[in-house]
């Protein structure tokens, strides 16, 4: 197994990270254990979760994923696992999270509440990588970084990361950390896939120059790149099948972002490339995400353990220049399918 380091940290992780956002909703506890065991037995040492999981976010089961992981974690040597979790972002952001009465912020109070909650649910005394799920545009970043630094100094957290952040947010936060001698963000967890290559516009340059690692999530574009939405019938039990019929405006907006004429058109071309080179489109999408030098570990997800093998095949695959050029050609032909 190849290992990579996250940023300038001592976190030595596998190139694939097991995401867990379905645990407790789309995947029951028994299936979640199968997914975790399958990944661990395959050599995966990096697991990512969040206090807000599972999805779709609901107040009545937020935190359930961390509880499931805690039971599984008790069956494994703790130090054999790199465990990442995330505190909910600010309520002034892209949506109001259904926890802490919808008053979340990246301030000292909520940071302390969030870490104590995650440690209790996960039944561990430390988190390897603690991430801000999305930024706070109101609380001064000086306050946020000082409060996060306290977690590192206390030993509750080893390293810090950000998520769904911008070039400005990452740079501003780490500049504050540099000048105030605080723990910095070693990673950024953003949406990045064949259908959403926007990270390449500027953030990739920052990651390379500042030695910050990208942890791409949704490398399958929510499952779109598998080709299952390029069919006349959309399974109502699929992720975006559910979102299409949901009454929640945010979920309907996500459906339109992920499943649209441009995204399906680009996906059709990627399906042809995968077929031409004799591989699963899942393997192609994961391998493409993994091949960038600024990527430490690509976060994959699954509802069922049986879905994992096509993703794991990417661990033994190095995409040729010809395949990469064909993928780039599609991206130039159909610009930014996800907006």
């Amino acid at each position: 197994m190849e290992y990579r380091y996250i940023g300038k940290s001592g976190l030595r992780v596998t190139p694939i990270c097991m995401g867990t956002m379905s645990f407790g909703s789309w995947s029951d506890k028994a299936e979640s254990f199968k997914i975790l065991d399958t990944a661990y037995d395959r050599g995966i040492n990096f697991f990512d979760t969040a206090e807000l999981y599972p999805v779709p976010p609901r107040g009545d089961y937020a935190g359930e994923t961390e509880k499931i992981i805690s039971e599984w974690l008790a069956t494994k040597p703790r130090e054999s696992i790199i465990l990442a979790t995330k505190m909910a972002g600010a309520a002034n952001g892209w949506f109001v999270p259904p926890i802490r009465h919808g008053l979340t912020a990246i301030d000292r109070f909520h940071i302390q509440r969030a870490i104590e909650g995650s440690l209790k649910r996960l039944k561990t005394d430390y988190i390897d990588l603690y991430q801000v799920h999305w930024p706070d545009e109101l609380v001064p970043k000086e306050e946020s970084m000082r409060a996060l630094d306290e977690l590192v100094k206390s030993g509750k957290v080893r390293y810090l990361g950000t998520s769904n952040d911008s070039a400005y947010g990452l740079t501003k936060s780490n500049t504050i950390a540099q000048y105030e001698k605080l723990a910095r963000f070693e990673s950024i967890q953003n949406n990045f896939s064949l259908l959403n290559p926007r990270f390449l516009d500027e953030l990739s340059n920052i990651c390379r120059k500042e030695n910050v690692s990208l942890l791409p999530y949704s490398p399958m574009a929510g499952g779109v790149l598998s080709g299952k939405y390029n069919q006349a019938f959309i399974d109502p039990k699929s992720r975006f099948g559910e979102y299409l019929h949901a009454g929640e405006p945010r979920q309907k907006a996500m459906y339109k972002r992920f499943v649209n004429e441009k995204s399906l058109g680009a996906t059709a071309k990627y399906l042809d490339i995968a077929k031409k080179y004799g591989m699963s489109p899942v393997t192609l999408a994961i391998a493409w995400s993994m091949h960038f030098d600024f990527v430490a570990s690509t976060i994959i997800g699954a509802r069922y353990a049986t879905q994992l093998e096509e993703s794991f095949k990417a661990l033994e695959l190095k995409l040729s220049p010809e395949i990469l050029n064909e993928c780039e050609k599609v991206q130039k032909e159909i610009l930014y399918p996800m907006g």
Side-chain angles (χ1 to χ4, degrees):
M1 176 68 73
E2 173 195 359
Y3 291 91
R4 304 173 182 178
Y5 283 94
I6 295 178
K8 297 178 181 178
S9 79
L11 300 177
R12 187 169 177 259
V13 298
T14 46
I16 283 179
C17 170
M18 191 67 243
T20 63
M21 72 177 188
S22 69
F23 294 4
S25 57
W26 296 324
S27 309
D28 62 20
K29 185 168 73 172
E31 193 62 36
S32 299
F33 270 48
K34 288 180 184 178
I35 292 169
L36 292 167
D37 282 332
T38 300
Y40 188 83
D41 292 345
R42 185 63 176 78
I44 303 303
N45 74 346
F46 190 22
F47 298 82
D48 177 75
T49 188
E51 67 166 340
L52 197 58
Y53 289 167
V55 298
R58 274 184 12 203
D60 59 340
Y61 63 25
E64 189 63 26
T65 300
E66 289 184 326
K67 292 177 183 177
I68 291 172
I69 291 172
S70 75
E71 293 187 43
W72 177 80
L73 198 62
T75 69
K76 301 291 182 289
R78 174 64 181 89
E79 292 179 2
S80 71
I81 289 167
I82 305 298
L83 180 61
T85 193
K86 301 181 283 292
M87 70 170 291
N92 61 63
W94 58 297
F95 91 114
V96 177
I99 59 173
R100 293 193 286 284
H101 301 281
L103 300 175
T104 56
I106 312 302
D107 60 10
R108 190 175 188 277
F109 172 82
H110 284 281
I111 288 170
Q112 289 289 341
R113 285 300 177 101
I115 188 64
E116 293 299 336
S118 285
L119 290 172
K120 182 178 180 180
R121 287 186 293 272
L122 288 163
K123 296 180 182 178
T124 184
D125 59 350
Y126 72 97
I127 302 298
D128 295 284
L129 180 67
Y130 196 56
Q131 304 154 101
V132 176
H133 210 149
W134 63 92
D136 191 327
E137 302 303 336
L138 295 181
V139 173
K141 295 190 184 301
E142 289 82 357
E143 177 180 349
S144 302
M145 296 308 291
R146 288 173 194 144
L148 289 166
D149 181 70
E150 290 177 14
L151 302 186
V152 177
K153 285 185 169 64
S154 71
K156 295 175 181 177
V157 167
R158 292 178 64 190
Y159 297 100
L160 302 172
T162 186
S163 182
N164 296 299
D165 215 337
S166 63
Y168 168 80
L170 175 60
T171 303
K172 177 73 171 179
S173 297
N174 277 1
T175 298
I176 291 167
Q178 177 183 355
Y179 284 103
E180 295 201 13
K181 295 181 170 54
L182 306 171
R184 71 168 198 154
F185 290 141
E186 299 293 345
S187 64
I188 179 169
Q189 185 181 142
N190 275 28
N191 189 298
F192 182 61
S193 70
L194 283 164
L195 292 182
N196 186 20
R198 279 199 176 276
F199 199 90
L200 297 173
D201 292 349
E202 185 54 35
L203 272 163
S204 62
N205 186 45
I206 295 171
C207 285
R208 287 186 174 113
K209 296 290 186 182
E210 300 297 326
N211 198 3
V212 175
S213 293
L214 171 63
L215 306 175
Y217 74 83
S218 201
M220 289 299 302
V224 175
L225 284 164
S226 70
K228 65 183 176 182
Y229 297 102
N230 284 62
Q231 312 292 330
F233 173 76
I234 295 180
D235 185 349
K237 293 183 179 180
S238 64
R239 179 179 182 181
F240 294 116
E242 288 185 11
Y243 283 13
L244 177 63
H245 298 98
E248 209 274 319
R250 189 180 71 86
Q251 292 178 18
K252 288 190 174 181
M254 287 183 68
Y255 173 88
K256 291 178 181 178
R257 184 188 179 204
F258 281 80
V259 185
N260 57 66
E261 184 178 352
K262 289 177 69 174
S263 69
L264 296 180
T267 296
K269 293 180 181 294
Y270 293 127
L271 294 175
D272 288 340
I273 293 172
K275 183 177 180 180
K276 177 181 177 180
Y277 291 97
M279 69 180 77
S280 161
V282 174
T283 307
L284 171 64
I286 304 300
W288 181 87
S289 172
M290 287 168 50
H291 96 275
F292 292 95
D293 59 355
F294 52 83
V295 170
S297 189
T298 292
I299 302 170
I300 65 169
R303 292 194 185 198
Y304 307 103
T306 53
Q307 297 173 315
L308 291 171
E309 187 53 37
E310 295 304 318
S311 295
F312 290 156
K313 285 180 180 179
L315 291 167
E316 285 115 29
L317 177 65
K318 183 176 177 61
L319 296 181
S320 67
E322 290 77 18
I323 297 175
L324 293 172
N325 287 338
E326 290 192 36
C327 290
E328 184 177 0
K329 182 179 177 182
V330 175
Q331 290 173 343
K332 289 180 177 178
E333 181 180 345
I334 304 177
L335 292 172
Y336 305 121
M338 290 175 55

